[in-house]
Amino acid sequence: MLTKLFRSRPHARMGETLYERAVDQARQPDFYTTLGVADRIDARFELYTLHALLLILRLRDDDQDGDEGGAEAAQGLFDTYVSALDHALRELGVGDTSVGKKMRKLGEAMYGRMQAYEAPLRDGDQTALAAGLARNVFESDDAATGTALARYAIASRRRLAVQGFGSLLKGPDWAEIAA
C-alpha cells in the first residue's frame, strides 16, 4: 500500500516539464508586443491554456498511433496546470474558503476554452479558431482580431505533430509569432 504512495511518477514529472515549456512559450514578449495581447492575468491565462492544449492534443495523438504514454503525459500536464492555477490563486491572496469556488470557475473556463479550440485546431479551421481567440484573448467581437494568433496556433499544431516525443520534452517546436 505504501509503495504506491512513494513510487516514481514519470508522467507527473513529464507533465511538470511540459507545463514549464508551455508557460515559457506563452510568456514570449512577441505575443504582447507583436500580436497585441494585453499583459493582464486573464490574457496570460488564455495563452497558458492555449499552449497547454496544443501540447495535450499532440500527446493524445501519440496514443492514436499506438503509444500508450501520450495520454498519461497529457494527464500529467493537465494535472500540473490545474495545480499551478490553485497555487497562483493562493499567491494572489485568495483565502482557503474562496479557493474552491474560484478554482471551479477557472476550471470551467479552462475546460470551455479547450472544448472551443480543440475542433478548430484539429481541423485547421483558422476562421473558427480566430473567432474564439478574439472573444477570449482579445475580448473582441471582431474575429479578425484573433487571426494572427489563430495562424500561429495552427502552425504550432502542425509543427508539434511531426516532432518526436523525446524531442517534444526537450523543447516543443513552436511556430514563429508574427502579425
Side-chain angles (χ1 to χ4, degrees):
M1 181 170 168
L2 287 177
T3 55
K4 277 187 172 182
L5 186 62
F6 296 109
R7 72 181 167 161
S8 176
R9 297 176 37 209
H11 295 294
R13 282 194 300 278
M14 278 189 254
E16 291 167 6
T17 299
L18 290 166
Y19 174 73
E20 288 174 15
R21 305 284 189 267
V23 169
D24 288 346
Q25 182 64 16
R27 289 180 176 166
Q28 291 300 308
D30 285 344
F31 286 113
Y32 306 95
T33 58
T34 303
L35 299 186
V37 175
D39 190 12
R40 298 186 321 257
I41 290 173
D42 56 334
R44 286 189 299 251
F45 165 79
E46 297 293 345
L47 288 178
Y48 294 170
T49 300
L50 176 64
H51 286 88
L53 176 61
L54 286 166
L55 290 175
I56 288 169
L57 290 176
R58 163 61 183 83
L59 293 165
R60 285 185 187 159
D61 289 346
D62 261 6
D63 278 358
Q64 292 175 359
D65 297 332
D67 179 14
E68 296 299 317
E72 290 179 25
Q75 187 63 51
L77 169 56
F78 182 83
D79 293 346
T80 301
Y81 186 24
V82 170
S83 178
L85 288 175
D86 180 87
H87 183 71
L89 284 175
R90 292 175 191 281
E91 280 188 349
L92 290 171
V94 176
D96 286 341
T97 57
S98 300
V99 167
K101 285 182 184 178
K102 294 209 183 275
M103 277 303 297
R104 180 180 176 163
K105 192 173 184 178
L106 277 174
E108 288 171 355
M110 180 178 61
Y111 183 74
R113 298 319 186 264
M114 289 182 168
Q115 290 287 15
Y117 301 157
E118 183 173 357
L121 281 168
R122 286 194 183 280
D123 298 339
D125 186 348
Q126 183 176 309
T127 303
L129 185 58
L133 292 170
R135 184 176 51 258
N136 296 319
V137 178
F138 298 98
E139 297 179 344
S140 173
D141 292 329
D142 180 10
T145 307
T147 300
L149 185 55
R151 191 171 40 249
Y152 160 82
I154 289 170
S156 288
R157 169 106 169 110
R158 286 188 195 121
R159 290 173 73 150
L160 293 169
V162 297
Q163 190 175 13
F165 187 76
S167 177
L168 183 74
L169 289 175
K170 290 179 185 167
D173 186 19
W174 304 109
E176 182 180 338
I177 304 165

